[in-house]
Amino acid sequence: MDLREKVINRLKEVIDPGTLTDVVSMGLIKNIDIREDGKITLDFQPSSPSCPLALPLALKIKDALLDLSQGKGPCITITDHSMADEINKYLKEQ
């Protein structure tokens, strides 16, 4: 299994508590990129622009990928959310 498959499998373990469906099946994960050095980046588009679970889900996504990112720390970017700038700033500080 290559790293991309491992990433997708880990993301499928992140469940949206509002729908009880994983974030991959919901189509909330966009633009997965895995660089040669192992750095994982992706966009997370919450189910609505005002989704109250955007930050908790983003943190769960980040945690799910932490050990796969080969010490580089995954880079998760929130898109299409009313508080995207604030959440993205917080995620970069973590």
Side-chain angles (χ1 to χ4, degrees), residues 1-13 24 32 34 65 68:
M1 182 181 311
D2 71 1
L3 185 54
R4 184 174 184 79
E5 289 176 272
K6 289 178 183 177
V7 166
I8 291 170
N9 285 337
R10 286 287 178 84
L11 292 171
K12 287 180 179 180
E13 295 174 5
V24 174
I32 297 173
I34 302 169
L65 301 178
L68 294 179

Side-chain angles (χ1 to χ4, degrees), residues 30-49:
K30 314 285 185 194
N31 305 318
I32 297 173
D33 183 48
I34 302 169
R35 296 190 325 208
E36 282 187 32
D37 66 358
K39 179 77 172 178
I40 300 167
T41 63
L42 62 84
D43 294 338
F44 166 53
Q45 181 181 346
S47 57
S48 76

Side-chain angles (χ1 to χ4, degrees), residues 53-79:
L53 300 173
L55 178 58
L57 281 172
L59 291 171
K60 285 182 181 182
I61 291 167
K62 192 170 186 173
D63 287 345
L65 301 178
L66 198 54
D67 68 322
L68 294 179
S69 61
Q70 301 175 11
K72 311 276 189 283
C75 180
I76 313 301
T77 302
I78 299 279
T79 62

